[in-house]
């Protein structure tokens, strides 16, 4: 794991593989960002010209290396682009992305020192978090251990010692490490990560961090009548689990329930997905990974709020024991569901978990799920959809996500679409309705299982959970850790009484 620290000493005094500075596009060419002063001095004022000669423009995403000048103790200087130059400070997201590009570019190095703009606590946190996230590398299955992440990151600032700077680094460390842990879970091959092994990982993390973890295995699920989880899991040699991870604070005034879809592999079941649609379906537990990471981060930060994370874990496989299209399941709580398409499995495991979570009367339920391809069609690969039975909560989660650098968009739950799941079914509800607006139909299905009087929101992260293209900013290829920052910031706000 990458170690992260802050230092107030001069960039010139740093022994490291690389010194990272920020550059931007000024009206008359490349300009150096705040933090680069000591490095620029070592280049006797010629640094911007040298970088321009090397082709640097300051564009976002750009990374240009050059040998360090005499007088510096680092091996090289890495200039990362911040985009258009600004007078009043770069946005947190711009800094996170630039730090992420730097850390990723320096993969394999032992130590990198970040001399980026870091004058305020917010800037320090952005640089620290972006660097930790950008340093992520998934090498579990690589024979030569691949090019591992940069070993040590040092954020330079002149604010060290001030309380808010320390808190900023602690926050970035907790969130960055838990996001990276969630990415590891998402990237793990589905023959290694199944409901049982995921539950064991949650139990171990519970021990490590002092969280209460309860696991319902297939026997306990049968005894309790969890027909959704059992119906989805019954085709697999790896039986389902429902995991409850509870964090409580003695002075908490509010209790939040975070529920995650945890399909460790989604083949589609008997309604099998065609080739081309199942290669990345190990990512279908990203919601469970997100709520798990969020509750651990909340504990590490000691937030004054109670959070119960529910991981609805199952593997969706076709076999002679699999649920058939046409089968009727009796869900936890007693509602019946006709399974018309076994590939609409996420809503089935979530429904059980939503009813179970509701029994504990939390103030708010938020579920997180890679639920529908329709949401990806609607919002693309980088934006998640926010639905809710409470407009204020929907707006709030959308706003929260945007402040932490996660793109989201509010989506409706049109009441008239509900009948497409009820009118033509022999059961209370079918697990599929009209095809158009499929992401909203899925949301309406979940809403049926929310207990009266509880505010509930649903985040459909099917687009941003798993990144298939080339890495950008602090986002690697593969699992991203989508929605974790939103959940943690929301919990922090609730804890602060906002
Ligand atoms: N896990 C998928 C949704 C998904 C699609 C996640 C693409 C990530 C990327 C989900 O279980 C699913 O298969 N949904 C179906 C529902 C349909 C059968 C009603 C879908 O979206 O096609
Ligand atoms: Mn599916
Ligand atoms: Zn799925």
């Amino acid at each position: 794991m990458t170690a992260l620290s802050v230092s107030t000493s001069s960039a010139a005094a740093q022994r490291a593989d690389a010194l990272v500075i920020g550059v931007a596009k000024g009206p008359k060419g490349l300009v150096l960002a705040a933090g680069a002063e000591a490095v620029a001095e070592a280049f006797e004022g010629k640094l911007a010209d040298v970088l321009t000669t090397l082709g640097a423009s300051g564009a976002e995403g750009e990374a240009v290396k050059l040998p360090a000048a005499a007088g510096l103790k680092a091996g090289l200087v890495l200039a990362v682009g911040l985009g258009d130059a600004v007078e009043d400070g770069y946005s947190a997201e711009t800094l996170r992305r630039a730090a992420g590009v730097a850390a990723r570019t320096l993969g394999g190095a032992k130590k990198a020192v970040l001399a980026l703009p870091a004058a305020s606590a917010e800037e320090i946190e952005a640089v620290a978090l972006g660097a930790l996230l950008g340093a992520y590398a998934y090498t579990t299955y690589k024979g030569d251990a691949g090019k591992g992440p940069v070993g040590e990151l040092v954020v330079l600032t002149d604010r060290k010692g001030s309380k808010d700077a320390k808190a900023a680094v602690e926050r970035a460390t907790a969130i960055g490490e838990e996001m990276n842990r969630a990415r590891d879970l998402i990237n793990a091959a589905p023959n290694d990560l199944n409901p049982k092994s995921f539950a064991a990982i949650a139990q171990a993390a519970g021990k490590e961090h002092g969280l209460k973890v309860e696991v319902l295995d297939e026997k306990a699920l049968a005894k309790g009548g969890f027909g959704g989880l059992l119906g989805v899991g019954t085709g697999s040699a790896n039986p389902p689990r429902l995991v409850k991870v509870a964090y409580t604070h003695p002075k908490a005034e509010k209790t939040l329930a975070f529920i995650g879809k945890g399909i460790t592999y989604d083949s589609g079941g008997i309604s099998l997905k065609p080739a081309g649609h199942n290669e990345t379906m190990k990512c279908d537990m990203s919601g469970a990974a997100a709520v798990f990471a969020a509750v651990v981060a909340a504990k590490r930060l000691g937030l004054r709020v109670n959070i119960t994370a529910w991981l609805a874990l199952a593997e969706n496989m076709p076999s002679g024991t699999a649920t058939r299209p046409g089968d009727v399941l009796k869900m936890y709580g007693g509602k019946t569901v006709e399974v018309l398409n076994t590939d609409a499995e996420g809503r089935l495991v979530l429904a059980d978990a939503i009813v179970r979570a509701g029994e504990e009367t939390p103030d708010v339920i938020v579920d997180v799920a890679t639920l529908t391809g329709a949401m990806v069609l609607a919002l693309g690969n980088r934006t998640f959809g926010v639905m809710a039975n409470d407009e204020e909560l929907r707006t709030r989660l959308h706003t929260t996500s945007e402040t932490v650098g996660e793109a989201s968009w509010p989506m409706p739950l049109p009441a008239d679409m509900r009948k497409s799941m009820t009118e033509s079914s022999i059961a209370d509800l079918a697990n599929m309705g009209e095809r158009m607006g499929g992401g909203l139909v899925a949301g309406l299905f979940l809403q049926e299982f929310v207990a009266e009087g509880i505010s509930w929101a649903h985040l459909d992260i099917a687009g941003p959970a798993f990144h298939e293209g080339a890495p950008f900013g602090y986002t690697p290829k593969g699992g991203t850790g989508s929605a974790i920052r939103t959940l943690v910031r929301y919990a922090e706000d609730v804890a602060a009484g906002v």
Side-chain angles (χ1 to χ4, degrees):
M1 211 188 286
T2 305
L4 177 80
S5 60
V6 259
S7 170
T8 41
S9 64
S10 162
Q14 296 286 333
R15 265 177 220 291
D17 297 293
L19 276 172
V20 178
I21 59 162
V23 292
K25 278 180 154 172
K28 291 184 222 126
L30 190 90
V31 294
L32 304 177
E37 297 82 2
V39 180
E41 212 168 290
F43 281 84
E44 294 170 351
K46 297 195 186 79
L47 185 53
D49 286 344
V50 174
L51 283 166
T52 307
T53 307
L54 287 169
S57 71
E60 209 190 299
E62 186 181 86
V64 175
K65 283 180 189 171
L66 72 162
L72 295 175
K73 295 196 171 106
L76 60 88
V77 170
L78 173 68
V80 287
L82 297 165
D84 289 333
V86 296
E87 294 289 320
D88 51 350
Y90 293 92
S91 75
E93 180 63 4
T94 297
L95 295 176
R96 270 191 297 269
R97 288 191 185 200
V101 169
R104 178 151 38 75
T105 306
L106 295 169
K110 280 208 184 74
K111 181 176 174 186
V113 174
L114 299 141
L116 290 166
S120 67
E122 198 200 4
E123 287 180 342
I124 294 168
E125 184 182 325
V127 171
L129 181 57
L132 263 185
L133 294 174
Y136 179 79
Y138 189 65
T139 54
T140 305
Y141 301 105
K142 294 272 192 199
D144 60 356
K147 194 168 129 189
V150 51
E152 191 186 343
L153 292 164
V154 180
V155 178
L156 292 189
T157 175
D158 41 25
R159 266 179 94 90
K160 200 192 175 184
S162 77
K163 228 171 115 194
D164 59 347
K166 201 166 158 255
V169 175
E170 273 171 14
R171 192 168 177 280
T173 306
I175 295 173
E177 288 180 356
E178 293 315 317
M179 273 181 76
N180 285 343
R181 179 160 36 185
R183 291 166 167 185
D184 278 348
L185 288 168
I186 299 164
N187 291 331
N191 55 338
D192 283 331
L193 192 84
N194 54 49
K196 192 172 161 186
S197 62
F198 196 157
I201 289 168
Q203 261 163 335
K207 266 218 182 92
E208 183 192 338
H209 294 288
L211 293 160
K212 200 170 162 224
V213 180
E214 285 168 49
V215 178
L216 297 189
D217 63 11
E218 68 271 32
K219 276 194 200 132
L221 292 171
K223 204 167 160 213
F226 290 84
L229 277 153
L230 289 166
V232 173
T234 189
S236 169
N238 298 304
R241 296 283 184 273
L242 179 63
V243 180
K244 176 184 176 185
V245 184
Y247 163 60
T248 53
H249 189 285
K251 289 187 187 148
E253 282 169 14
K254 290 267 158 65
T255 298
L256 309 176
F258 292 163
I259 302 176
K261 171 177 173 181
I263 301 298
T264 57
Y265 186 70
D266 182 12
S267 72
I270 297 294
S271 314
L272 193 63
K273 286 182 188 293
H277 290 260
N278 50 23
E279 293 82 354
T280 59
M281 278 304 141
K282 65 176 183 183
C283 81
D284 216 16
M285 35 56 71
S286 297
V291 300
F292 176 49
V295 74
V296 174
K299 163 76 195 188
R300 288 178 64 169
L301 297 171
L303 303 187
R304 197 171 161 161
V305 60
N306 298 327
I307 302 177
T308 310
W310 300 86
L311 322 185
L313 308 176
E315 187 181 49
N316 189 23
M317 296 291 271
S319 77
T321 58
T323 291
R324 312 155 191 82
D327 281 356
V328 173
L329 304 175
K330 189 162 186 188
M331 313 294 283
Y332 187 70
K335 274 201 176 67
T336 57
V337 174
E338 185 179 11
V339 179
L340 293 180
N341 189 322
T342 62
D343 199 10
E345 84 297 338
R347 63 197 75 181
L348 299 173
V349 300
L350 287 171
D352 275 359
I354 288 172
V355 176
R356 178 64 190 86
E359 285 178 348
E360 303 193 351
T361 59
D363 294 286
V364 171
I365 296 178
V366 181
D367 79 69
V368 185
T370 47
L371 205 59
T372 65
M375 198 54 60
V376 191
L377 286 174
L379 297 177
N381 283 318
R382 294 190 186 178
T383 304
F384 62 79
V386 186
M387 283 147 271
N389 65 359
D390 171 334
E391 211 175 299
E392 213 177 293
L393 180 63
R394 186 183 67 179
T395 305
R396 177 170 178 167
L397 287 168
H398 164 56
T399 315
T400 302
S401 83
E402 302 273 333
T403 19
V404 296
E406 296 197 294
S408 75
W409 201 251
M411 300 294 275
L413 291 171
D416 61 291
M417 291 173 84
R418 179 182 178 275
K419 61 180 182 301
S420 69
M421 290 182 290
T422 55
E423 281 181 353
S424 62
S425 180
I426 59 165
D428 294 331
L429 209 60
N431 77 330
M432 248 184 84
E434 53 191 283
R435 197 169 77 84
M436 297 299 169
L440 318 182
V441 174
L444 284 162
F445 180 94
L446 297 179
Q447 188 174 21
E448 292 294 306
F449 296 88
V450 179
E452 195 73 30
I454 297 183
S455 276
W456 156 80
H458 160 55
L459 312 181
D460 191 337
I461 60 168
F466 198 81
H467 180 58
E468 291 184 62
F472 65 95
Y474 51 80
T475 304
K477 210 170 145 63
T480 60
S482 177
I484 296 169
R485 282 177 287 156
T486 300
L487 292 176
V488 173
R489 175 61 66 87
Y490 172 63
E492 286 176 326
D493 289 346
V494 171
V498 183

